[in-house]
Amino acid sequence: MMKKVFVIGMTAAVLMASTLAAATDVEDAIEYRQGVFNTIKWNFGPMAAMVKGKIDFDAAEFSRRADVVAVLAKLPREGFIEGSDVGETDARPEIWENKDDFDAGMDALAKNAAALADAAKSGDMDVIKPVFGELGKTCKGCHDDFRVED
Amino acid sequence: MMKKVFVIGMTAAVLMASTLAAATDVEDAIEYRQGVFNTIKWNFGPMAAMVKGKIDFDAAEFSRRADVVAVLAKLPREGFIEGSDVGETDARPEIWENKDDFDAGMDALAKNAAALADAAKSGDMDVIKPVFGELGKTCKGCHDDFRVED
């Protein structure tokens, strides 16, 4: 009897520990991907302002930020771990329900961010503008389908 | 009299607007640098586990994460804007009081992260280990001096 109680107690302890670990993993993953997207947004802002002519076009600065975004664009995916559709997140369950579509969106993000980094090396706003537009559409497309927008 | 009241009212409105704008800037800057550091931490974790032998050494994966960290390491500085020592932050006022020391720390972070990315290309843990140790010390040095540690 004692042994059985002990085994049940241990099983419960192990289950609780693994549930706690999973909860931490989920929180860390959510915080991670939000940090990545926020860093993308921070760098996207001045580029958007240059494209719209709200601030002067600085080709070197634009190119530097485009390079950063090209690296960042490859990072969010690993933060969308199984079970991380709950908690402090705007991620919609559709991400995990339509994983192939979501992955295709992530691929498009990486591809179009790389294309922008390439275009930015031209230093020519006429070359940059349409590529920047494509990247913006890619962001919006995924936000519409997979994110709770404010 | 009406005119004077109007001018005072307008001045107050402009002051309030600029204070609000500054508050938003500060919040955005804090959130930005925290996102960057968190993304560094996320990528640092698996590298540290490999260095300590807690998980198997995967040279390609290590190198990929080291490359990411080398890019990220250059980013936090622009988030430490004037006045962003208040609010939801662990940044200590010493950052702005000893700006030269802090900037030297940021330079060291970028330099040592770049050195790790180089070392990682060797695929040799014996080459990587001391360079990783240097980067870890650089993190700790700035945290000790400039961050409210838990």
Side-chain angles (χ1 to χ4, degrees):
Chain A
M1 177 61 186
M2 267 304 280
K3 196 175 162 194
K4 198 169 174 185
V5 169
F6 177 76
V7 169
I8 292 171
M10 280 302 286
T11 308
V14 168
L15 279 175
M16 276 173 64
S18 74
T19 307
L20 277 175
T24 310
D25 287 350
V26 163
E27 276 169 34
D28 285 352
I30 291 172
E31 204 183 335
Y32 162 72
R33 69 199 188 208
Q34 287 176 346
V36 173
F37 282 125
N38 196 48
T39 311
I40 291 176
K41 192 176 87 177
W42 176 276
N43 284 281
F44 206 81
M47 289 196 288
M50 288 185 209
V51 168
K52 290 175 189 163
K54 289 187 182 173
I55 60 172
D56 286 343
F57 176 46
D58 176 335
E61 179 69 358
F62 193 102
S63 186
R64 183 182 73 77
R65 294 199 186 274
D67 284 344
V68 169
V69 169
V71 171
L72 291 166
K74 291 184 271 185
L75 302 186
R77 191 184 315 221
E78 64 179 303
F80 289 94
I81 63 172
E82 209 54 53
S84 63
D85 57 333
V86 291
E88 299 269 328
T89 178
D90 292 325
R92 278 163 50 179
E94 282 83 348
I95 290 173
W96 292 270
E97 289 160 14
N98 308 319
K99 204 66 173 61
D100 288 351
D101 287 352
F102 180 73
D103 284 343
M106 283 283 143
D107 286 341
L109 171 63
K111 190 173 151 250
N112 292 337
L116 181 64
D118 276 346
K121 286 176 186 44
S122 72
D124 180 349
M125 186 48 89
D126 290 340
V127 174
I128 290 172
K129 215 168 204 167
V131 187
F132 186 83
E134 272 310 305
L135 180 56
K137 263 191 268 176
T138 311
C139 297
K140 193 179 178 311
C142 264
H143 285 186
D144 286 348
D145 292 343
F146 298 116
R147 185 169 187 257
V148 180
E149 298 283 87
D150 303 323
Chain B
M1 179 59 188
M2 266 305 280
K3 196 178 161 191
K4 198 169 174 184
V5 169
F6 177 77
V7 169
I8 291 170
M10 280 301 287
T11 307
V14 168
L15 278 176
M16 276 172 64
S18 74
T19 306
L20 277 176
T24 309
D25 287 350
V26 163
E27 277 169 33
D28 285 352
I30 291 172
E31 205 183 335
Y32 162 71
R33 69 199 188 209
Q34 288 176 345
V36 173
F37 281 125
N38 197 47
T39 311
I40 291 176
K41 192 176 88 177
W42 175 277
N43 284 282
F44 206 81
M47 290 197 288
M50 288 186 209
V51 169
K52 290 174 188 163
K54 290 187 179 171
I55 59 172
D56 286 343
F57 176 46
D58 176 336
E61 178 69 358
F62 193 102
S63 187
R64 183 183 72 78
R65 293 199 186 274
D67 283 345
V68 168
V69 168
V71 171
L72 291 166
K74 291 185 270 183
L75 303 185
R77 194 185 312 223
E78 65 179 304
F80 289 93
I81 63 172
E82 209 55 54
S84 63
D85 57 333
V86 291
E88 300 269 329
T89 177
D90 292 324
R92 278 162 50 177
E94 282 83 348
I95 290 172
W96 293 269
E97 289 160 16
N98 308 319
K99 205 65 172 62
D100 288 350
D101 287 351
F102 181 73
D103 283 343
M106 284 282 143
D107 287 341
L109 172 63
K111 191 173 149 248
N112 292 336
L116 181 63
D118 276 347
K121 286 175 186 46
S122 71
D124 181 348
M125 186 48 89
D126 290 338
V127 174
I128 290 170
K129 212 166 206 169
V131 187
F132 187 82
E134 271 309 306
L135 180 55
K137 264 191 266 176
T138 311
C139 297
K140 190 177 181 312
C142 264
H143 285 186
D144 286 349
D145 292 343
F146 297 117
R147 185 170 186 256
V148 180
E149 298 284 86
D150 304 322

